[in-house]
Amino acid sequence: MYGWRIKSVKSALQSRGLDTGDLSVDDLTSLGHLDQYHYYGTAACDEAIDVLGLNSDRRVLDIGSGIGGPARYLADKTGCTVHGVEMKDDLVAMSRKLTDRVGLDDHVTFTNDDAANIEFSTDRYDHAVMWLVLIHIDNPQALLESLTTALHQQGTILIEAIANNGLSSTQQDILRQTIDASDVLTESELVEHCSEAGFVDIKTCDLTDAWTNWTQHRYTLFTENQEPFVDLHGEQIYQQRREVYRTMADLFSDNALRGVRLTARVSDDTSLELSSRQQTSLQKYNADLLLEM
């Protein structure tokens, strides 16, 4: 689903005479969906900056960091440091190259790993962000539990997620085929998973109307600009992207999907019962500590 983007980024930069040398973050954000995979692109990042109150003192964990666009944008705009975690090694390799070219490698780093299983350092993060990632996660509960060990007490998460609003089995199959989706959570299931993982002050914001309009506009604009897209990326990629954009526009228009932004914080109440993953992590820490003594 994402491998074509690397070739397309290279082609787009080459067409602008930017295939070598230094780049700016603006050079990359101007590539739109090739740099920012999520809905509303940098506008969604700006909202996250405002909601989380990001500044140069904050450490941010970006789950499913893609080609690194959001991480670079957050760091460039606020001075914060960002650690992106991405499962696809080719995307991580390209993320690092682009980040080096914009001169942000001292503020932005990337790890090629599964965030649900990674052992985070004891130097914890202030915030974690996820844009349109959960729809691709097989075990969202494990991922959310992992984040409670990665964040400071009272550290916050911001998640923008595509939510199930009554998908039929046929529509579920279409999502799996077109965007490699796992089982899509409802909003209530997402809230429940967050609560069970140890998050509190869980708040949701309905983005459905905005995302319905945006996916329809994206599809219309894409079909109207077929010729320049095909010239740059090829007919096969065009047809693949057209199918993805049409599918998402249809599912939102049919009210089968919803858009949700969720924010929450890690509880500072140490009397809360630890999740199974947190218990395992604590047991491993104690065992390692005994070995060092």
Side-chain angles (χ1 to χ4, degrees):
M1 178 179 175
Y2 295 109
W4 70 276
R5 291 181 184 268
I6 295 174
K7 180 180 178 181
S8 297
V9 167
K10 291 178 180 178
S11 297
L13 290 175
Q14 186 176 29
S15 71
R16 303 180 183 197
L18 298 172
D19 47 325
T20 60
D22 293 342
L23 291 170
S24 70
V25 169
D26 287 343
D27 289 331
L28 295 176
T29 58
S30 69
L31 301 181
H33 67 98
L34 295 178
D35 183 64
Q36 306 275 331
Y37 293 177
H38 54 275
Y39 296 171
Y40 282 98
T42 56
C45 294
D46 286 331
E47 288 201 16
I49 289 170
D50 290 340
V51 170
L52 298 175
L54 293 188
N55 57 46
S56 60
D57 295 328
R58 305 298 176 87
R59 299 183 70 243
V60 180
L61 181 63
D62 180 8
I63 302 298
S65 52
I67 208 163
R72 287 186 292 270
Y73 185 84
L74 296 180
D76 183 63
K77 195 80 179 286
T78 71
C80 69
T81 58
V82 187
H83 177 194
V85 179
E86 170 59 52
M87 291 182 64
K88 299 185 182 300
D89 56 357
D90 53 347
L91 295 182
V92 171
M94 191 62 175
S95 296
R96 291 169 176 163
K97 290 178 182 178
L98 294 174
T99 301
D100 178 64
R101 290 183 65 188
V102 299
L104 282 172
D105 48 321
D106 59 337
H107 274 71
V108 183
T109 58
F110 299 96
T111 297
N112 176 209
D113 211 332
D114 179 356
N117 298 313
I118 193 171
E119 292 292 336
F120 291 105
S121 71
T122 55
D123 189 11
R124 297 189 175 190
Y125 302 91
D126 301 294
H127 310 286
V129 293
M130 281 188 279
W131 283 285
L132 304 190
V133 172
L134 281 181
I135 196 170
H136 304 297
I137 302 298
D138 291 330
N139 190 344
Q141 184 70 45
L143 173 58
L144 292 166
E145 289 178 1
S146 177
L147 293 183
T148 62
T149 65
L151 292 166
H152 290 296
Q153 284 190 349
Q154 298 201 50
T156 55
I157 58 170
L158 184 148
I159 300 171
E160 289 195 359
I162 295 170
N164 190 332
N165 196 42
L167 286 166
S168 68
S169 58
T170 299
Q171 289 170 326
Q172 287 268 20
D173 289 340
I174 290 172
L175 275 177
R176 291 190 187 97
Q177 294 166 7
T178 55
I179 65 168
D180 193 26
S182 298
D183 290 335
V184 186
L185 298 175
T186 64
E187 179 180 341
S188 61
E189 288 171 336
L190 174 56
V191 170
E192 183 179 359
H193 279 312
C194 287
S195 178
E196 290 178 351
F199 288 99
V200 296
D201 290 344
I202 301 169
K203 299 180 177 63
T204 61
C205 175
D206 187 2
L207 304 176
T208 306
D209 287 346
W211 285 11
T212 300
N213 293 334
W214 191 87
T215 53
Q216 184 59 60
H217 177 71
R218 176 179 65 172
Y219 176 67
T220 301
L221 191 64
F222 187 73
T223 57
E224 290 175 349
N225 289 273
Q226 177 177 356
E227 185 174 347
F229 187 96
V230 170
D231 288 344
L232 187 59
H233 305 296
E235 180 68 28
Q236 182 179 8
I237 296 299
Y238 172 79
Q239 294 299 336
Q240 290 173 349
R241 301 316 301 161
R242 182 178 180 275
E243 179 64 16
V244 170
Y245 296 161
R246 183 191 63 79
T247 296
M248 300 311 295
D250 287 350
L251 291 175
F252 272 103
S253 294
D254 292 343
N255 205 33
L257 293 176
R258 297 183 62 241
V260 177
R261 181 193 299 130
L262 179 146
T263 57
R265 67 175 176 86
V266 179
S267 173
D268 56 358
D269 184 353
T270 56
S271 68
L272 287 175
E273 182 179 355
L274 293 175
S275 68
S276 59
R277 178 178 176 81
Q278 291 169 309
Q279 290 174 5
T280 301
S281 178
L282 183 60
Q283 290 167 358
K284 182 179 184 302
Y285 173 78
N286 288 338
D288 291 344
L289 187 62
L290 286 172
L291 288 174
E292 295 173 0
M293 293 176 65

